Amino acid sequence: MDVRSQVSMLFHLDKCIGCHTCSIACKNIWTDRKGAEYMWWNNVETKPGTGYPTKWEDQDIYKGGWEKNGKSVSLKGSGKLKGLVNIFHNPHLPVIDDYYEPWTYKYSDLIEAPAQDDQPTARPISLITGKPIEIKAGPNWDDDLSGTPDYARKDPNLQNLSPAEQEAMFQLEKMAFFYLPRICNHCLNPACVASCPSGAIYKRGEDGVVLINQKVCRAWRMCVTACPYKKSYYNWSTGKSEKCILCYPRIESGIAPACMHSCVGRIRYLGVMLYDADRINEVASADINNLVNSQLDIILDPFDEDVIASAKENGVADSTIKAAQDSPVYKFVKEWGIALPLHPEFRTLPMLFYVPPMLPVMASLSEQRNKEQLDKLDPIAKKWDDDWLYDTSTEELWGTIEEARFPLQYMANLFSAGDTCKIKDIMKKLMAVRIHRRDKTVGDLDKENVKKTLKDVNLSTDEADDIYYLTSLAKFDDRFVIPPAHREQAIEMIENTGDVKGSSGFGFIEKPARGI
Amino acid sequence: MDLLNNFLFIALPYVALTVFLIGTIYRYKGTKFKFSSLSSQFLEGKKLFWGSVPFHYGIMVLFFGHLIAFLLPDVILSWNSSPLRLMILEVSAFIFGLSALVGMFNLLLRRKTNPRIEMLTTKMDLLIELILLVQIFFGLWIAYEYRWGSSWFASVMSPYLKSIFTLNPQIDAVSSMPWVIKIHVSLAYVILLLIPFTRLVHLLVFPLSYLWRPYQKVIWYWNRKKIRDPKTLWNVTRSKNN
């Protein structure tokens, strides 16, 4: 057992309101620079939708991630042989048009235009060429556009949904969508690290943050292809790749990353997970049916005596072990089992977990024309003036999940490598917590029924209350349990103390100018 | 004439070698951030294929061809002892030369016609690409006009280059060469000299070590076991990430 610690993340999708505050916080701090204008280390996508860059999930196009190759895994679009053969021209590299061409407006025209009959306008100017451009795409170009033929219907996750299911998803009255915020997953088996010919990308041993050493990056651009989440971005101006750094200077000083700190819906959680590094290869090459389970299995119980002993042996600080025991992410993922990684089938072992959204699934509108049918429904079911029913009844609880207007298969394609049972289990748990809380606060439900729903999903009332607390009431310190970086070492994480004595800040000592 | 020959074949190679060595070491140590292939594929991918791929594969074969002829002239001479094998060598080298020429031309064309790429183009990029284009063109000219290059390179150029590296330059043979060959040789020195001032530095950091390193890379900033060891003193070592 080779115990390492990983700062891992959890996003509760039911709480995401799609406000993009996280994206702006990140952009203002890290990517508001030349060559980085198009980058969104944190972005929020509307699902169903094609995402950013367009259709990033379709690995037939981008060849990202690992694929199972006999008993082991190999990189899909890069790797030692493929990478070096294609080093002069990477056939799978997205170009900037797959994201969007960054632009600004020529505001000076508004005040400097000569007197004329027409109102002067500020024309869009490309931030690359400085010439006027026709805007074809931009940040969040498909925001809230569920149902549109150009975006939602081209979502790669619709692949194994039947045509009828797809049609049902996109009927105007029944259409639903949810938001999917994404940052770098700081994977345990990162494809970007493996694909970098220069060896510029590395995973920090202490906290598992994946970083690109800007001085070693030589623009071979294989990481952009290899990352199946397309979270490694190529800076066309400096000729270096860049990616989310999980705000490591903030984490080292005990502050939550900017995207998480600024999150309006408080959907984000951050905490330490201990994992067994010896098993990475075995887990990454697990059978597709067993992929999710084995990825969750690699995470160790921080209360286990053996785990604690081997962690200490490995030099994991006591404070980190304590943080792992208090980790909200561990609770969601392992204790309660209501969170899953995004696209585990890419086999990178992502360490960012999502609580799947229940609302678009559960908010199933069914047409109730039959009086008998109406009478059979639980009295708590909300009855609309017309024949439509917003069905939240407990009697039909487990039934409505399967007849949801958002097919479970779609969620399963996102979070569980196509396994609908996993999603169904989680939906049941989330619903059971709601029923339990409704019983506690409103008290209009049949007690036996409430007990039965909790028993069905194997949750005690205490656990249900804990889930409710951490979901709805959690304070800042409950949501972000950041392991102390140990002040005496925090500076060394960036630079040697002796070297930076007397200097201020961090980052580039030399100007990050393009090579000569 | 002697003065020019002395300059081109004695002074220039030593100046070029010195500038190349000092320049690249200085740049690698001092401005490591700027060591990059500066790929522009992200802004334009399709035309790059028809430039970069034929150019790089062509120039690589030609470079190693010249290198082998310089280091192992006997091998080349014995290979060339049969006319058929000589023809195979010369024709295939010529094809790779054409590939490099077409590739370089396409790269220059792309650089001048695509507004995005033009924005990223520096004067040195244009200079080095023009020199390379001329150099490849002269190489092809020589291969066609002064046959058979692989044989006379081994018997004339190799001894001259060796004499340069043994600090005892013998330029009699190379001085009597036609002017086309003289220009080709001098331009080679100019390219060597320009390497530290251009994007050509990327060929010095070709990532061959990728072939034998493990795929995953984990860096610990500090050996915590060592820190916690009460028996040792505070151990001043550089952090491993920089």
Side-chain angles (χ1 to χ4, degrees), chain A residues 366-391:
Chain A
S366 45
E367 207 177 1
Q368 303 294 339
R369 291 185 193 281
N370 191 337
K371 177 84 174 48
E372 272 174 52
Q373 188 78 14
L374 259 180
D375 290 342
K376 259 187 2 194
L377 278 168
D378 196 275
I380 64 162
K382 162 97 171 111
K383 292 180 188 65
W384 299 80
D385 295 340
D386 55 14
D387 295 333
W388 295 100
L389 192 76
Y390 182 64
D391 193 351

Side-chain angles (χ1 to χ4, degrees), chain B residues 52-208:
Chain B
S52 181
V53 174
F55 168 73
H56 277 100
Y57 280 108
I59 205 82
M60 265 166 55
V61 170
L62 294 178
F63 174 78
F64 284 108
H66 283 68
L67 192 71
I68 291 168
F70 162 50
L71 293 175
L72 308 162
D74 300 340
V75 176
I76 299 290
L77 285 176
S78 60
W79 169 274
N80 283 350
S81 58
S82 141
L84 179 69
R85 290 195 295 201
L86 171 72
M87 280 302 285
I88 291 175
L89 180 73
E90 286 280 334
V91 168
S92 50
F94 198 82
I95 289 171
F96 278 106
L98 278 179
S99 154
L101 186 78
V102 170
M104 193 73 253
F105 179 77
N106 283 342
L107 284 175
L108 255 174
L109 195 68
R110 167 178 178 269
R111 206 165 265 294
K112 288 312 287 176
T113 52
N114 187 312
R116 287 178 182 175
I117 308 300
E118 216 170 354
M119 284 308 295
L120 288 178
T121 301
T122 60
K123 279 177 195 148
M124 282 313 248
D125 288 344
L126 283 178
L127 178 72
I128 200 70
E129 290 194 359
L130 272 174
I131 291 180
L132 278 171
L133 192 71
V134 172
Q135 180 74 336
I136 299 166
F137 175 74
F138 275 122
L140 287 169
W141 182 349
I142 292 163
Y144 180 77
E145 196 70 32
Y146 303 97
R147 275 166 260 178
W148 303 97
S150 57
S151 285
W152 61 251
F153 184 99
S155 53
V156 178
M157 289 307 293
S158 289
Y160 160 65
L161 287 173
K162 251 173 217 146
S163 74
I164 292 282
F165 281 101
T166 51
L167 305 181
N168 179 26
Q170 302 293 326
I171 62 163
D172 293 344
V174 75
S175 305
S176 57
M177 288 277 184
W179 64 272
V180 188
I181 299 176
K182 284 185 178 175
I183 292 179
H184 190 72
V185 175
S186 320
L187 271 183
Y189 294 135
V190 172
I191 292 170
L192 184 72
L193 183 130
L194 286 177
I195 284 179
F197 307 103
T198 61
R199 57 165 57 203
L200 283 190
V201 287
H202 75 271
L203 67 90
L204 303 171
V205 288
F206 188 80
L208 267 184

Side-chain angles (χ1 to χ4, degrees), chain A residues 44-81:
Chain A
V44 184
E45 287 167 12
T46 301
K47 285 281 162 193
T50 46
Y52 159 88
T54 309
K55 287 190 179 179
W56 61 273
E57 289 153 299
D58 191 345
Q59 303 310 341
D60 290 339
I61 304 174
Y62 292 115
K63 308 277 181 198
W66 302 84
E67 60 189 351
K68 199 165 169 173
N69 196 349
K71 279 192 172 164
S72 188
V73 283
S74 57
L75 287 165
K76 200 167 185 169
S78 45
K80 293 190 176 179
L81 203 64

Side-chain angles (χ1 to χ4, degrees), chain A residues 423-434:
Chain A
I423 302 288
K424 200 173 154 192
D425 284 352
I426 291 178
M427 293 302 158
K428 279 178 161 185
K429 279 188 187 172
L430 293 174
M431 197 62 203
V433 172
R434 287 187 187 214

Side-chain angles (χ1 to χ4, degrees), chain A residues 29-48:
Chain A
I29 296 186
W30 300 118
T31 57
D32 190 12
R33 293 172 281 124
K34 188 181 178 194
E37 302 98 340
Y38 83 94
M39 295 180 200
W40 294 88
W41 294 355
N42 178 110
N43 75 305
V44 184
E45 287 167 12
T46 301
K47 285 281 162 193

